[in-house]
Amino acid sequence: MSDPAILLAVTNGIATLTLNRPAVRNAIDDAMRGEMIEALETVAADPAIKALVVTGAGTAFCAGGDVRGMKNRLAASAEEVAINGWRRQARTHKSITLLHLMPKPTIAAVNGAAAGLGADVALACDFILAGEAAHFTMSFINRGLIPDGGGMYFLPRRIGLSKAKDLVFSGRRVGSAEALAMGLADRVAPDGDLLAQAQAWAEQVGAGSSAALALAKATLDRSLESTFEQVLAIGSQSQAICYTTAEHRASVTAFLEKSKK
């Protein structure tokens, strides 16, 4: 049997999802898409998991879609190309949506290349921690394609419209220093310490109330498309839920007890 394409480990409430096809630089094929969906659903449903780190095995984060799959697509009969592509897109979008809407903080620990769909996977996370050797490439244009894993939604929100157009139109490679300067990466870490720093950061941002984190994330992710009044309305509903949580009650009770002393 072949090794699993996705590895999932949980330590101290922090899940680490590893893309595990190092021989092909963790290129995503149909089998990996399925395993990734299963792993993300597991993380989302487990209340003991507070945050998620996504990384790659070997020397790359993810080289994008598997070109061998593209070869099979070209070999298909003309009447099958569109429907097969639609089905593949649906699975890709399901995995990216699960990652983007994960009700807990997510961090991409980018070790090496994040190209094409691999860059989209990183962009779907809340935060990107790049290793010093990391580099990003919106390489779709080099295959006569457009970003199809959410990159055209995530990228302009991170770096602005004109910079996003530059990267999508040119397909040029961006190293970790430039990625940090333009806001594509949030932090840079030494390659040897990348995963440890990502997991420590995940512990920090995942330490608060799970309910408050999930509601705050859901509101923030809608804020750029919402009016001020809409954000306030969503916030009111979310805050009402927070008032009922055990974490809120315990925190207020502990504060009041402490203030009596």
Side-chain angles (χ1 to χ4, degrees):
M1 293 180 64
S2 59
D3 293 334
I6 296 291
L7 302 177
L8 183 63
V10 181
T11 303
N12 297 327
I14 303 304
T16 301
L17 185 156
T18 304
L19 307 175
N20 188 44
R21 301 183 71 216
V24 290
R25 301 170 73 223
N26 303 316
I28 298 174
D29 63 2
D30 289 343
M32 180 184 270
R33 284 181 179 88
E35 291 185 37
M36 189 170 179
I37 288 169
E38 290 180 10
L40 291 171
E41 288 177 336
T42 295
V43 173
D46 189 345
I49 295 175
K50 301 301 182 183
L52 170 66
V53 173
V54 180
T55 194
T59 59
F61 179 75
C62 176
D66 194 326
V67 177
R68 285 178 295 186
M70 298 179 192
K71 180 181 178 181
N72 294 336
R73 182 166 69 245
L74 293 176
S77 59
E79 63 270 17
E80 293 178 332
V81 171
I83 189 62
N84 289 346
W86 179 81
R87 289 171 179 147
R88 185 176 296 107
Q89 289 281 295
R91 290 175 69 76
T92 296
H93 294 166
K94 183 172 182 179
S95 63
I96 292 293
T97 299
L98 284 167
L99 183 55
H100 173 55
L101 298 182
M102 179 67 60
K104 6 200 145 189
T106 56
I107 299 173
V110 179
N111 54 311
L117 184 55
D120 285 348
V121 170
L123 288 164
C125 294
D126 297 317
F127 307 105
I128 296 177
L129 176 63
E132 291 175 336
H135 54 90
F136 303 82
T137 313
M138 301 302 290
S139 54
F140 299 90
I141 195 72
N142 300 328
R143 299 279 182 265
L145 300 170
I146 65 169
D148 60 353
M152 289 197 288
Y153 177 88
F154 301 126
L155 192 60
R157 284 163 174 75
R158 268 194 165 268
I159 65 175
L161 184 58
S162 63
K163 290 186 178 69
K165 287 179 178 178
D166 171 36
L167 299 191
V168 171
F169 295 172
S170 70
R172 70 180 182 86
R173 174 170 160 167
V174 175
S176 59
E178 183 182 2
L180 181 65
M182 69 167 55
L184 179 53
D186 299 295
R187 300 181 186 179
V188 174
D191 293 322
D193 199 36
L194 174 67
L195 188 55
Q197 287 201 23
Q199 290 168 338
W201 191 6
E203 286 192 36
Q204 181 185 41
V205 295
S209 160
S210 296
L213 283 169
L215 291 164
K217 177 173 175 174
T219 304
L220 286 167
D221 283 343
R222 296 170 61 182
S223 62
L224 294 181
E225 293 80 33
S226 302
T227 65
F228 174 64
E229 291 78 12
Q230 288 170 330
V231 172
L232 288 180
I234 296 168
S236 294
Q237 296 169 356
S238 298
Q239 195 73 305
I241 296 171
C242 288
Y243 288 153
T244 69
T245 63
E247 293 99 330
H248 172 68
R249 294 173 66 86
S251 175
V252 172
T253 300
F255 177 84
L256 294 174
E257 291 296 326
K258 185 177 179 181
S259 65
K260 293 178 181 178
K261 298 178 181 178

